Amino acid sequence: MIPDRLAFIDLETTGANPVRDRITEIGIVEVDGDQVTTWNSLVNPERPIPAFIQQLTGINNAMVADAPTFAEVAEALAERLQGRLFIAHNARFDYGFIKNEYQRLGQRFHADVLCTVRLSRKLFPEYPKHNLDSLIVRHHLHTGDRHRALADADLIWQFWRMLKRDRGDDALAGAIQLQLTRPTLPPHLDPVLIDDLPDSPGVYLLYGENDALLYVGKSINLRKRVLSHFAADTREYKEMRLAQEVRRIDWHETVGELGALLLESRLIKESLPIHNRRLRRASDLCAWQLREAAPGDFRPQLVSGRDADFGRSNELFGLFSSKREATNTLRKIAEAYALCPTVLGLEKPVQVGRACFAHQVGKCKGACIGKEPIGVHSARMMAALAKLKLQAWPYPGAIGVVERNDFLDEEDVHVVDGWRFLGTAKCEADIHELLSRPVDAQFDMDTYKLLKSHMTKGKLAIRQF
Ligand SMILES: [Zn+2]
């Protein structure tokens, strides 16, 4: 069935960020059965409108100077939208803006939301584009002032009528139903969460009884990821248990993926959530370091994070989460390259001056008895270890790895020194604060790997301080 109380809505704003930007105009086409009324109001955004937005919408600072603020239209708007299906093109944008404006006033706004982009995609899957300009051409819609709120709201209303004519009520009702079917949340969670979760990258935290931290996860789309934990069709026992235990969800938005990964890694290590896989303890972290015993004679020596500054030392090979893992790896390398286990310190010599057991079975080239010159053995060992070589921190000091979202004009600066993550800064003052604090972050393997892979991709700007 098609609901009969509808509101076709379009907004103009000062930008694309629903948290930071503000509404400059609201246009609504209200439909009750056969009765159609329109409502339109400029809104004073209480901040300047950027020049390119003024150009796009034709709404300039002078026009909104005497317009009511959102607070002044909030009550009338709520009455108009009350009990109506909220229909907009790319509805999460408009709905997000309205929700945030009410939130600034300390109020909650909620509506059933229908997105006409998704409707178009569903009913016209043969077309690749579903933006408003494409719909105008495709369906011969009559345009008024493009990029003014009421004119664009009217376009969506025209599109709706065309859908009814062209596809019929049943197809339209089916497509609407599909969108309005809400994802299921566990019984203990507030259903409003479904609206509040942002579609942005970030880290989420699931809490259980007594606010015990159950799980920390990250995603480039928080909303999708969190809801996927609770999808009704999940058959995984672990997910089912999590869904039953969860009582509260919290999250931190980030600009990009690296920020989410770094924060997730830090939160898991700091707070050891019940359902996260136990991560390696940083204190057991070790690596092989080459020491020159005599000229040209290099021997591997196991060093831990306490003995060496992993971030800055050269000639380190690893990393390993335990002494055992380090020893096993070196043993495998020795076998693969016919290196001598006694020279490497993996085995004690059977008897001084006698060949090791590996040499007796042809698996050591005889460095233990001088058959292979020790310098040659050292060189082969270095070549064999090369793949495990840790990259020494390539900067003289701390740097900022900059993650930007040009669309939202936002950036996170991840402050890093010696591969250690000091924190994420949003402004110059944050950076200063992070740099002036004593460094207590430990070198850890996950952060090293994350940073190294993201920094070598070369897509992120680096700032040196
Ligand atoms: Zn040997």
Side-chain angles (χ1 to χ4, degrees), residues 50-111:
F52 76 99
I53 303 264
Q54 294 192 37
Q55 218 158 45
L56 176 76
T57 62
I59 300 173
N60 58 41
N61 291 317
M63 289 164 70
V64 293
D66 295 324
T69 61
F70 188 84
E72 287 163 338
V73 300
E75 203 181 328
L77 179 69
E79 273 167 26
R80 285 176 185 280
L81 296 178
Q82 172 75 34
R84 290 178 193 278
L85 185 59
F86 185 114
I87 307 171
H89 208 63
N90 191 12
R92 284 193 64 78
F93 175 89
D94 302 88
Y95 188 56
F97 264 92
I98 297 224
K99 271 187 80 76
N100 271 295
E101 289 283 10
Y102 278 106
Q103 209 164 346
R104 270 183 212 108
L105 303 173
Q107 297 172 31
R108 285 212 101 119
F109 176 79
H110 176 79

Side-chain angles (χ1 to χ4, degrees), residues 396-413:
I399 60 157
V401 184
V402 184
E403 234 178 348
R404 253 197 87 72
N405 179 330
D406 284 324
F407 182 64
L408 294 182
D409 188 27
E410 277 187 343
E411 68 181 35
D412 277 346
V413 179

